[in-house]
Amino acid sequence: MVEEIKKNLQEEIENFKQVQKDYHKTLSRRQQLDSQMNENITVKEELNLLKVENKVFKLIGPVLVRQDLDEAKENVNKRMEFIKIEIK
């Protein structure tokens, strides 16, 4: 009887540890997504301040590549939508 209780308790402890591990992993991912969302919100606000004639560059590896302002805004909006879906 006591051995069975010990065994059940040990199983429950292992289950609890796994749930904790999953929770921390999910929490870490959520924090990462929130950080990315905040970064994209800031980028979107900055892009909205620009005029059509302003130049926008995108960093691709070690190179800055010129990008159309509307294309940059569209990319940011798509990233934000993707992040919203991931958060859900």
Side-chain angles (χ1 to χ4, degrees):
M1 176 90 174
V2 172
E3 288 300 316
E4 187 177 319
I5 292 173
K6 280 184 176 181
K7 182 181 174 187
N8 287 339
L9 182 59
Q10 189 63 33
E11 287 175 3
E12 290 301 320
I13 289 172
E14 291 302 316
N15 288 339
F16 179 72
K17 286 180 181 179
Q18 184 62 43
V19 169
Q20 271 187 322
K21 189 177 180 182
D22 292 344
Y23 171 76
H24 288 293
K25 186 176 177 182
T26 302
L27 180 63
S28 176
R29 179 69 177 137
R30 174 61 190 251
Q31 288 172 337
Q32 183 181 21
L33 288 170
D34 286 340
S35 176
Q36 289 175 352
M37 180 61 87
N38 289 333
E39 182 180 320
N40 279 284
I41 288 170
T42 303
V43 170
K44 183 177 179 178
E45 290 170 354
E46 292 294 320
L47 288 175
N48 287 336
L49 296 175
L50 298 176
K51 298 175 184 163
V52 177
E53 61 271 5
N54 293 123
K55 295 178 183 177
V56 177
F57 293 88
K58 180 177 183 177
L59 184 63
I60 300 177
V63 179
L64 285 174
V65 178
R66 190 163 180 193
Q67 188 175 30
D68 181 57
L69 179 60
D70 290 332
E71 183 181 348
K73 287 180 179 181
E74 185 178 324
N75 287 341
V76 170
N77 287 332
K78 285 180 183 179
R79 277 196 302 265
M80 290 174 67
E81 285 302 315
F82 176 76
I83 292 169
K84 286 177 187 176
I85 290 169
E86 286 293 309
I87 288 174
K88 287 181 183 181

